[in-house]
Amino acid sequence: MKELEELLEKVDKKYQDKSNKHYIKICAALDFAKKAHEGQKRQSGEDYIIHPCAVASILMDLGMDYKTIIAALLHDVLEDTPHTAQEIETLFGSEVVALVNGVTKLNKLSFKSKEEEQAENFKKLFFAMANDIRVIIIKLSDRVHNLRTIAYLSENRRLAIAQESLDIYAPIAGRLGISNIKCEIEDRSMAILYPQEYKEITSALALKSKERENFIKKVTAEISLILKELNIEGEISGRPKHIYSIFKKMKRQNKTLDQIYDLIAVRIITDTIKDCYALLGAVHSKWKPLPGRFKDYIAMPKPNLYQSLHTTVISEFSAPFEIQIRTYEMHKVAEYGIAAHWKYKEGKTSVDNLDNKFNWIREVMSIEQEYEDSEEFLNLLKIDFFNDEVFVFTPKGDVVNLPIGSNGIDFAYSVHSEVGNKCVGIKINSKIVPITTKLNTGDIVEVITSNAQKGPSRDWLKYAVTSNAKSKIKQFFKKVMKEENIKRGMESLEREFKHRSLKQNDLMRENWLDYILKRYSMTNLDDLYAAIGYGELNASTIVSKLYEFYRKENESKNPKKVEQSGIKARRSSSGVLVKGYDDFLIRLSRCCNPVPGDNIIGYISRGRGVTIHRRDCVNVKAFEPERLIEAEWSNREEGCFVVSLQLFGENRSGILADVAAVINSLKHPITNVNARIEKENKVNIVVSVEIKNTDELDELLKKMSGIKGVFEVVRTNN
C-alpha cells in the first residue's frame, strides 16, 4: 500500500530517533487503526486503512503536530468500528479523543430531515473548531483524499460531495489561508461539476505548455539579472494559475481562454520586506505595470494573514503576467496558512497556546452552553467566518453563498429572476420574517411566491444588496412597465421643479437635455423619464444639473433674472429667522426633523435656499463651514412639525394599541407607524407624529415611557 509506505517514510524522516515518544505513539496509533479497520474495504476494493494513512500523510506535509497525526489515523474509528472513545482516551489521551470526536460525523444519530442533519453537522464542526482549530485542518485533509478517490462513488454522490466541497470546504481553507488545500479542492470539485470546461482548459494549457515554459525561462532569466544588480538573494519560480481560478475569471469577464492573457504567475521569494519593495521598483522599471493591478498585501494583509506584493506587468512580447514578491516567512503562511502559525509544541498539550490571531474562532464557544437545540442555536449564532460572504441553505439542503449583509430579496433573485419577481415573503429557519431580514451563515431560507404577485416593489431597490438583485429589479421595471415609468418619471420631475420653485420651461432646454441624455447613454427624453420612473436616476440630480446650466448662462447677464426664474423670495412659513430676516426660501431638513425649541442652524443649499437642521444632526459635521448660517425660531409658532419616535418593548398583545391611545389622548395626529418583531420576543415600533414644539415632544416621550412593557422611547433622526 503506497499510502502506508509514504506515511512511514515521512514519519521516519521527521523522527529519526526511533526511541522518540512521539514516534512511538504514532506507530501505536497506526497499529491500532490497522486492527480496528481490519477487513473493511473502500468503494475501490482497497483496504480501508489507506484512507486514514493518506489523511495523516497530508497533515505531515502541512507540518502538524504528532497528536494531530494520531487523530487523523483514528478519525474514523468511532464512526466505523466498535471501539469507544474511552479506549482511545486511555491509550492516547483526552486531547486526541477530542479531536477524533470533533471530526466524527453524526450519521449514528436520528434526524427529522436532511436540513436538520446538515445544520447539526455544521454546528458541531464549527464548535469543534472553536475548541481546537486542528479539527478543521483534519477535516480538510480528509476531504482532499476523498476527492482524490471519488471516482468509485455513484454520480449523484460525486456531484453532492463536489458541490459541498466547492461551497463550504474550499472557502474555509481559503479563510484559513491554506492555499494548496483550497486550490486542490477547487480543481478536483470543478472536474466533477464542470467536466467539459475542466477538460477544455486543461487541454488548452497542455497544448501551450512548451510555449509557457519558454516564456517562464525568459522572465526568470531577466529577474535573475535584477536580483544580481540589486545584490539580493532570492528564489524565482513560475507556474500557471490553477484551473478553477482561470474558469472563474472566464465566467466573471465573459471571455474565452484565448482572451485570458495573464495565465502565468511568477513568484520571487527573498529575505526581507525591504528587499521585496526594492524588487518591486526594479520590476516596474523593467516592465510596464498595468494600472489598477497592483496590490500591497504586505502593508494590508488579508484576513487569513496572507502577505505578498502582487503586480501585473506587460512583457516585451506584449504578454501580461503576474509577479508575486514575498519573504520566506510570508511564503510559508501563503502555502500553509494557519498551519504555518502553529503554536502546539511537542510536549505541550494546552490549546491556550493557540495564536491570538485566531482567538475569534473560539469566541463562539461562550454561546454553545446556552442552547441545546441546534436550530435555535443556529438562529442566534452569528458567524462572520468567511469575512465577506454568508452561506445559507435552501430547504433542499443546497448551499447558496451571498455577500455579507444580503437579505431575502437578494436570496430570491439568486434563485431565479421569476422567483424574485413573484416573491411575497421569506421563511428563515421555518419562521416567516420580513423580506429585508439580513441572512446569516447557517440559515435555511425558503422563498414564498405567488402568481398573483405582479412584480417587485420599487422600495426593494433601497434594500437589495447584490448587484444581481438590483439589476433584475430594474430590468423588470424597465421592460415590463415602460409606459408607466415614463409617466411616473415625468410626474417626479415636475414635482421636483415645483418643490424648488423653479420654472420648468426655462430649464428644459434642448441643448442642456441633449448633454444629459448623452451622459447617461440615452437616445430620447422618454428614456430619461423611464429611468427616473423605475429608480435608475434621481429627479433631484437631473433638476440640479439643469439649474446649474441655467445659472451659469444667466448669472453674468442678469442676476435678478436668475433669482426670479430660480428661487423665489418669500416669507418663511416655517417660523424660522435666518440672520434676523425671514425672506429666504426656507425648508426644514428631513434628516433630523427640527421642531420649535430645538437648537438649530441653517445651511445654504445650491439652488434650494436655506435648509434648517438641528445643531446635533450628524450631517452638519460634514457640511462646508462657510455655507452654515445662524438661525433661530421666531416667537410665532406656525403649523405642525413631524417627529419620529422609536419605542423598544416586550412583544405583548395590545402594546401597539396602547401606543396609539397615548398619542391620541394628547391629540397628536399620527402620520406613519412601522412595527417589527426583534429577537427574544421584543418589539421595535417607529411612529411619526405631528407636534408644535419641544414641550409637546417632552410630554409625549414621558407618557409613552409609562406604557406597560416599554423599555425605552427615543427620538430618531427620520
Side-chain angles (χ1 to χ4, degrees), residues 404-418:
I404 246 175
S406 296
N407 54 45
I409 298 170
D410 303 298
F411 179 85
Y413 280 102
S414 74
V415 177
H416 194 276
S417 57
E418 280 304 302

Side-chain angles (χ1 to χ4, degrees), residues 516-524 527-528 531 536-537:
I516 292 173
L517 293 175
K518 185 176 180 181
R519 179 181 177 184
Y520 293 108
S521 303
M522 296 176 180
T523 56
N524 54 53
D527 289 343
L528 178 64
E536 183 175 352
L537 293 178

Side-chain angles (χ1 to χ4, degrees), residues 467-479:
S467 57
N468 174 59
K470 290 179 180 179
S471 174
K472 288 177 178 177
I473 294 168
K474 288 178 180 179
Q475 189 177 45
F476 174 85
F477 288 114
K478 186 175 182 179
K479 291 183 177 180

Side-chain angles (χ1 to χ4, degrees), residues 501 503 506 550 558-568:
S501 300
K503 292 182 178 179
D506 286 350
Y550 180 88
N558 190 347
K560 289 185 178 180
K561 184 179 178 182
V562 178
E563 183 182 15
Q564 290 167 1
S565 295
I567 302 173
K568 295 182 177 179

Side-chain angles (χ1 to χ4, degrees), residues 59-76:
L59 291 164
M60 288 289 294
D61 292 338
L62 291 174
M64 299 304 295
D65 65 304
Y66 82 102
K67 289 185 178 179
T68 305
I69 307 304
I70 292 172
L73 289 168
L74 305 176
H75 78 272
D76 280 332

Side-chain angles (χ1 to χ4, degrees), residues 620-656:
V620 171
K621 295 178 181 178
F623 290 157
E624 300 169 37
E626 62 272 15
R627 291 167 63 189
L628 292 172
I629 187 170
E630 292 299 320
E632 61 183 17
W633 298 101
S634 65
N635 291 329
R636 63 185 185 277
E637 294 177 358
E638 302 178 5
C640 292
F641 303 83
V642 176
V643 295
S644 293
L645 306 176
Q646 189 168 26
L647 176 150
F648 301 94
E650 63 182 55
N651 182 25
R652 65 171 179 81
S653 177
I655 190 169
L656 188 57

Side-chain angles (χ1 to χ4, degrees), residues 49-103:
I49 191 61
I50 70 167
H51 173 62
C53 286
V55 174
S57 183
I58 293 169
L59 291 164
M60 288 289 294
D61 292 338
L62 291 174
M64 299 304 295
D65 65 304
Y66 82 102
K67 289 185 178 179
T68 305
I69 307 304
I70 292 172
L73 289 168
L74 305 176
H75 78 272
D76 280 332
V77 166
L78 295 182
E79 183 177 331
D80 297 330
T81 79
H83 292 283
T84 65
Q86 183 61 50
E87 290 178 76
I88 294 176
E89 184 172 359
T90 301
L91 292 171
F92 304 104
S94 59
E95 198 173 346
V96 169
V97 79
L99 290 171
V100 174
N101 265 322
V103 180

